[in-house]
Amino acid sequence: ASGEAIAAYALSEPGSGSDAQRARTTAVLNAEGTHYVVNGTKQWITNGAIADIFTIFVQVQNPADGALHFSALVVERGTPGFSHGAEEHKLGLRGSSTTQLILENALVPKDNLLGEIGRGHDIAFNILNVGRYKLAVGVTGGAKVALDHAIRYAKERKQFNRAVIEFGALRQKVADAAALIYAMEASSYRVAGLIDALHDSLGEIPDDAPGTKKMAPIQEYAIESSIVKVHASEALNRIVSECLQMYGGYGYVEDYPAELAFRDARINMIFEGTNEINRMLAPGMLLKRALKGQLPLLAWFGSLEREPAPLGDGPLAAEVDAAERLKAMAGLALGAAAMKYMQKIDQEQEVLLLLADLLIDAYIIDSVVGRSLKRHAMGLPTTVSDAMTRLELTGAAERVRANARRVACAIHDGDMREAFIKKLDRHAVEVRTNVVADRRIVADHVVERGGYHL
């Protein structure tokens, strides 16, 4: 935190990105048994040229049988045989050092093994889980800054003798961006809160406790971390694109902040696991946990065969009902796909991607509605937050209905397909809301305050 020592995390290689456990960098004990002799190249390493301490993932050779085991080593700058490559010239993040790491018979002390031999995946993937929900929170902040800059510019820029921020076409962009930020906040802070709550419930964890125990709260919410990473990174990409559009031609030049934000945003859909990998992880992990008895999914799937519950009363009753219906449609599709493909579902990537989008929409809307209900319960102003909730719900309902039907058509034919679509339609959400009026409510609030400040 003081900046006196900078760290780096080295997982990817030139030939292995998403398939990180196929790393080819090797570590073999020397004849004296005191040091690992490490050889290989790591790729895309943030802080590569400036870090003092590197966590490097390698294949450690077992002296007994020569087998290789995915593991982690702590390597310090100045280690003999260890160097970094040239700086990469990137589309964005130009203020960040990104290099290769080169290990040529690098001598790393045996005691620098992190954790246990063969358990490198526990470290690597849980750190990715941490990175995913942190990324969601981080890009939410980036989205707010981009929107603030765009509104400031649009208040100053005049066309047809009016500030361009007065035109409905631009105010619509402001409203949609603000509603997305509201959803990004609701879902990402929800994950952070869930992790904190589980951590606190475990009581004091001794310093010498196994790493798996320390990381248990992170592992528990790995699915949610993947969901918010995908949603927030793609939301940011849409927001910075629309903010650039608000600048017109000026947004396309380096003199204005929209150009920088547009370039920097794109990487978020690639690192901490590509969005494609995270999409496939979410439904895959959910089904695996159900099969292990860790989640009562099968009982929930069965409950979805019944008619939806009647509409309740109280604040946001229609929105609460809609959130439950979206979850039901996602559950029906997930259950049907699991029944169709069983253990081979991981080979059906196109179906997994559709299921992931259903889960993402269901989780985000559940988070948004939950947050808005809490504002009602706390006596906070709700006119703007309710309008944002309706805007997000409108888009999600349309996507969920379309994606659920796509799953139905992918896994069933003929009469079975039609019967399944009828089952889905029992839960379908018909949103009838005035999006023009809701956008005006949100835009008026955000523009008056010069940005997103809810």
Side-chain angles (χ1 to χ4, degrees), residues 5-288:
I6 303 298
Y9 170 94
L11 182 62
S12 297
E13 293 190 2
S16 62
S18 298
D19 192 10
Q21 291 192 78
R22 298 283 183 182
R24 300 179 66 179
T25 300
T26 59
V28 181
L29 270 179
N30 60 5
E32 297 78 14
T34 58
H35 290 73
Y36 288 110
V37 181
V38 186
N39 284 281
T41 303
K42 310 303 284 190
Q43 184 79 18
W44 316 122
I45 308 308
T46 300
N47 295 341
I50 63 173
D52 305 287
I53 301 168
F54 301 78
T55 301
I56 299 181
F57 293 87
V58 301
Q59 302 287 0
V60 173
Q61 185 182 54
N62 184 339
D65 58 9
L68 297 173
H69 301 273
F70 189 67
S71 310
L73 295 176
V74 177
V75 181
E76 298 180 66
R77 179 171 296 283
T79 295
F82 174 53
S83 62
H84 66 80
E87 290 285 355
E88 302 286 357
H89 295 282
K90 307 185 294 293
L91 169 69
L93 295 191
R94 294 178 183 173
S96 171
S97 170
T98 307
T99 72
Q100 286 188 334
L101 300 182
I102 302 162
L103 300 110
E104 299 174 306
N105 293 322
L107 291 174
V108 180
K110 180 182 177 182
D111 290 344
N112 283 28
L113 177 74
L114 185 61
E116 303 173 18
I117 291 177
R119 305 301 298 179
H121 60 283
D122 288 334
I123 301 166
F125 298 150
N126 268 314
I127 291 302
L128 287 173
N129 291 331
V130 173
R132 286 164 185 161
Y133 88 78
K134 285 169 58 181
L135 181 147
V137 177
V139 301
T140 301
K144 293 178 187 178
V145 171
L147 183 59
D148 288 358
H149 283 306
I151 290 172
R152 189 177 309 135
Y153 172 83
K155 284 182 174 181
E156 297 170 356
R157 175 74 169 169
K158 286 186 168 52
Q159 294 287 287
F160 308 104
N161 296 317
R162 296 169 63 188
V164 296
I165 195 63
E166 295 178 20
F167 294 106
L170 263 69
R171 295 175 82 87
Q172 175 175 307
K173 296 182 189 299
V174 169
D176 289 346
L180 265 177
I181 293 170
Y182 184 73
M184 294 159 76
E185 280 186 332
S187 54
S188 59
Y189 277 90
R190 180 186 188 182
V191 176
L194 289 167
I195 292 171
D196 277 351
L198 181 54
H199 181 274
D200 292 346
S201 73
L202 296 175
E204 180 107 17
I205 300 176
D207 288 340
D208 60 354
T212 50
K213 185 171 183 179
K214 294 180 180 179
M215 297 296 283
I218 303 296
Q219 178 61 34
E220 176 64 27
Y221 293 104
I223 298 169
E224 291 85 348
S225 296
S226 286
I227 285 173
V228 296
K229 188 270 184 187
V230 172
H231 175 262
S233 62
E234 293 180 1
L236 174 68
N237 223 48
R238 294 196 296 274
I239 289 168
V240 295
S241 179
E242 291 287 47
C243 286
L244 188 152
Q245 193 74 11
M246 289 172 67
Y247 284 80
Y250 289 101
Y252 205 67
V253 297
E254 293 183 354
D255 302 45
Y256 292 84
E259 181 269 350
L260 174 66
F262 186 81
R263 285 188 293 103
D264 282 354
R266 186 60 181 81
I267 188 61
N268 294 294
M269 295 193 289
I270 297 173
F271 61 19
E272 304 296 358
T274 66
N275 281 12
E276 291 73 22
I277 286 293
N278 277 285
R279 273 188 164 87
M280 288 184 284
L281 281 173
M285 284 191 287
L286 201 59
L287 291 172
K288 284 179 183 176

Side-chain angles (χ1 to χ4, degrees), residues 145-449:
V145 171
L147 183 59
D148 288 358
H149 283 306
I151 290 172
R152 189 177 309 135
Y153 172 83
K155 284 182 174 181
E156 297 170 356
R157 175 74 169 169
K158 286 186 168 52
Q159 294 287 287
F160 308 104
N161 296 317
R162 296 169 63 188
V164 296
I165 195 63
E166 295 178 20
F167 294 106
L170 263 69
R171 295 175 82 87
Q172 175 175 307
K173 296 182 189 299
V174 169
D176 289 346
L180 265 177
I181 293 170
Y182 184 73
M184 294 159 76
E185 280 186 332
S187 54
S188 59
Y189 277 90
R190 180 186 188 182
V191 176
L194 289 167
I195 292 171
D196 277 351
L198 181 54
H199 181 274
D200 292 346
S201 73
L202 296 175
E204 180 107 17
I205 300 176
D207 288 340
D208 60 354
T212 50
K213 185 171 183 179
K214 294 180 180 179
M215 297 296 283
I218 303 296
Q219 178 61 34
E220 176 64 27
Y221 293 104
I223 298 169
E224 291 85 348
S225 296
S226 286
I227 285 173
V228 296
K229 188 270 184 187
V230 172
H231 175 262
S233 62
E234 293 180 1
L236 174 68
N237 223 48
R238 294 196 296 274
I239 289 168
V240 295
S241 179
E242 291 287 47
C243 286
L244 188 152
Q245 193 74 11
M246 289 172 67
Y247 284 80
Y250 289 101
Y252 205 67
V253 297
E254 293 183 354
D255 302 45
Y256 292 84
E259 181 269 350
L260 174 66
F262 186 81
R263 285 188 293 103
D264 282 354
R266 186 60 181 81
I267 188 61
N268 294 294
M269 295 193 289
I270 297 173
F271 61 19
E272 304 296 358
T274 66
N275 281 12
E276 291 73 22
I277 286 293
N278 277 285
R279 273 188 164 87
M280 288 184 284
L281 281 173
M285 284 191 287
L286 201 59
L287 291 172
K288 284 179 183 176
R289 292 186 182 186
L291 291 172
K292 291 179 180 178
Q294 297 171 338
L295 288 173
L297 274 189
L298 298 181
W300 181 55
F301 291 158
S303 73
L304 300 178
E305 299 294 329
R306 299 191 293 270
E307 290 292 324
L311 184 68
D313 52 17
L316 300 176
E319 288 78 6
V320 171
D321 176 68
E324 291 302 315
R325 287 172 175 269
L326 296 188
K327 286 189 285 186
M329 293 180 78
L332 285 169
L334 188 67
M339 185 69 68
K340 168 83 172 181
Y341 300 112
M342 305 297 284
Q343 300 290 348
K344 294 183 179 179
I345 195 169
D346 61 341
Q347 299 173 24
E348 302 294 330
Q349 291 195 352
E350 299 92 337
V351 174
L352 281 173
L353 292 174
L354 288 170
L355 294 173
D357 283 344
L358 289 167
L359 290 176
I360 290 167
D361 272 322
Y363 188 80
I364 300 304
I365 289 302
D366 191 63
S367 302
V368 168
V369 172
R371 178 185 183 183
S372 296
L373 278 174
K374 192 169 186 178
R375 291 180 64 85
H376 278 271
M378 295 172 68
L380 296 172
T382 57
T383 301
V384 177
S385 56
D386 286 358
M388 289 176 169
T389 302
R390 290 190 294 270
L391 288 174
E392 286 300 290
L393 180 57
T394 300
E398 293 169 355
R399 290 189 300 270
V400 166
R401 182 164 190 170
N403 284 328
R405 285 181 170 232
R406 289 176 184 132
V407 173
C409 293
I411 64 178
H412 292 312
D413 294 309
D415 292 343
M416 286 187 67
R417 179 187 61 207
E418 297 310 310
F420 187 62
I421 288 175
K422 284 184 180 178
K423 191 182 297 185
L424 289 170
D425 284 348
R426 289 208 311 268
H427 297 273
V429 178
E430 292 288 347
V431 177
R432 286 178 170 80
T433 184
N434 187 340
V435 295
V436 173
D438 282 336
R439 280 171 169 154
R440 287 175 176 172
I441 290 170
V442 176
D444 288 349
H445 178 274
V446 175
V447 170
E448 181 184 340
R449 286 156 181 77

